[in-house]
Structures are given as structure tokens and as C-alpha cells.
């Protein structure tokens, strides 16, 4: 692996990808201004790419229950606990933008209990971290504790599903040595010019 490789696995050329995957990547590039390395890394296996992004989008693009910022909070906090550099950096950038707070992602990646978030969000992240790190120990008391902060059954499912999905994603990013794009590091830290 070279020092600046996107992945320790081969990264296909856009021209060599199936049309649907190439179109998805180009749409992301048009919106973001660059291609996040996760798209290129996972394109190594097109069938898995499709499944990964279908479930990702089903969890992360909803407009009911959790806010999009709260969804990203779960990703950043659990990814920090799982030691996933790619997800902390990439989703930290998205979180900073969605929360309109340049400090929150760094706080959540290290210690959500001391972050500039509500008690409700701290309870959400307590639960998400338990699902991510010790899911076999999740019990009715854990569910009751998060529900006591106003989360309904569907929101509890979403918290757990996002934590579980990104536990898998974190491990895949670590397996592939996925490198965060340079663009992510400054996103949401400074006001737009």
C-alpha cells in the first residue's frame, strides 16, 4: 500500500464500473465537489456496493424520527469508539454542517458525555454505543432508559440500526485502510466564503 492510497484493495476506474454505480458516484461528485473515497473503495465489489448504499440511505436519509444531525451524531460517536478514522473524519464533516456546530464532531468522537449536546442526545448515544460495542448485553432497561428521553420504538430501532450498520462499516473501513479525503477535514469548521 502506498502512503496515499485510498484503500489497500484495488480501486476500479470510473469508466470500468457498471452504469448504475458510475452514475451514483458522479451524482455524489456533482453535489459534494469531490468523490468520497468510500464510494471508490466499495466499488471494488459492485454487488456489495449496491447493498451497502441501499441500507445506508434507508437509515441515514429519513426525515422522520431522529434528525439528520442526530443520525450523524450516532455515526461519529460509535465510529470514534470503534477507532474508525474514515468514518469519524467523513461523518464528522457532515455532522458539523448538519448541526451547524464546528466543535461537536470532535467532542463526540472522544467523549459524548462532555459534548455540547442535550441530555436527550447523550442518552441516545449511551444506547448507540452499547449496541455498537456490547450488543449482547442490551436489555429492556437500556431500551426503557432511552425511551424515557422521548424516543419511541421506531426511533430506538433507528438508533440501534445505525449503530449496528456503522459497526460493520467501521470494520470494513479499517480492513481496507480506507483513507479519508482531504476535503473532509475542513468542511463545516469555517463559515463559507
Amino acid at each position: 500500500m502506498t502512503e496515499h492510497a485510498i484503500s489497500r484493495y484495488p480501486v476500479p476506474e470510473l469508466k470500468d464500473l457498471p452504469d448504475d454505480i458510475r452514475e451514483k458516484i458522479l451524482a455524489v461528485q456533482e453535489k459534494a465537489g469531490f468523490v468520497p473515497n468510500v464510494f471508490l473503495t466499495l466499488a471494488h465489489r459492485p454487488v456489495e456496493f449496491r447493498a451497502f448504499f441501499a441500507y445506508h440511505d434507508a437509515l441515514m436519509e429519513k426525515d422522520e424520527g431522529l434528525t439528520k444531525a442526530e443520525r450523524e451524531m450516532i455515526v461519529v460517536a460509535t465510529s470514534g469508539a470503534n477507532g474508525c478514522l474514515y468514518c469519524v473524519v467523513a461523518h464528522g464533516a457532515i455532522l458539523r454542517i448538519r448541526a451547524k456546530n464546528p466543535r461537536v464532531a470532535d467532542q463526540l468522537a472522544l467523549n459524548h458525555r462532555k459534548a455540547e449536546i442535550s441530555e436527550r442526545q447523550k442518552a441516545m448515544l449511551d444506547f448507540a454505543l452499547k449496541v455498537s460495542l456490547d450488543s449482547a448485553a442490551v436489555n429492556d432497561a437500556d431500551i426503557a432508559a432511552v425511551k424515557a428521553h422521548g424516543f419511541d420504538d421506531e426511533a430506538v430501532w433507528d438508533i440501534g440500526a445505525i449503530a449496528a450498520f456503522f459497526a460493520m462499516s467501521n470494520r470494513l473501513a479499517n480492513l481496507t485502510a480506507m483513507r479519508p479525503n482531504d476535503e473532509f477535514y475542513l468542511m463545516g469548521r469555517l463559515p463559507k466564503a
Side-chain angles (χ1 to χ4, degrees), residues 32-106:
F34 65 98
V35 178
N37 289 340
V38 65
F39 289 89
L40 300 172
T41 298
L42 296 184
H44 174 70
R45 291 189 163 188
V47 171
E48 293 170 31
F49 175 104
R50 291 180 188 105
F52 180 94
F53 284 107
Y55 196 43
H56 171 279
D57 293 352
L59 291 172
M60 300 301 290
E61 298 303 322
K62 285 183 183 181
D63 285 322
E64 68 262 357
L66 307 174
T67 67
K68 288 186 179 179
E70 288 172 333
R71 292 170 192 281
E72 295 297 339
M73 287 177 183
I74 295 166
V75 178
V76 173
T78 59
S79 296
N82 285 317
C84 182
L85 178 65
Y86 184 89
C87 292
V88 167
V89 172
H91 288 274
I94 298 166
L95 174 57
R96 287 190 298 271
I97 292 166
R98 291 196 168 157
K100 297 175 179 55
N101 181 339
R103 296 174 304 279
V104 70
D106 297 327

Side-chain angles (χ1 to χ4, degrees), residues 91-160:
H91 288 274
I94 298 166
L95 174 57
R96 287 190 298 271
I97 292 166
R98 291 196 168 157
K100 297 175 179 55
N101 181 339
R103 296 174 304 279
V104 70
D106 297 327
Q107 295 168 0
L108 294 182
L110 291 173
N111 184 348
H112 75 282
R113 304 299 298 145
K114 296 190 178 186
E116 300 168 9
I117 59 174
S118 70
E119 290 303 313
R120 178 179 184 272
Q121 291 165 334
K122 288 175 184 175
M124 171 188 78
L125 296 178
D126 287 342
F127 181 70
L129 283 160
K130 188 161 186 182
V131 170
S132 182
L133 300 173
D134 194 13
S135 63
V138 172
N139 59 40
D140 290 343
D142 297 314
I143 304 242
V146 76
K147 287 174 90 173
H149 286 274
F151 294 98
D152 65 14
D153 286 331
E154 295 306 310
V156 172
W157 179 292
D158 283 345
I159 295 165

Side-chain angles (χ1 to χ4, degrees), residues 170-187:
N170 297 157
R171 286 153 179 79
L172 190 55
N174 286 330
L175 165 71
T176 61
M178 197 181 307
R179 183 175 57 83
N181 299 69
D182 293 342
E183 292 89 344
F184 285 129
Y185 286 95
L186 293 180
M187 286 174 59

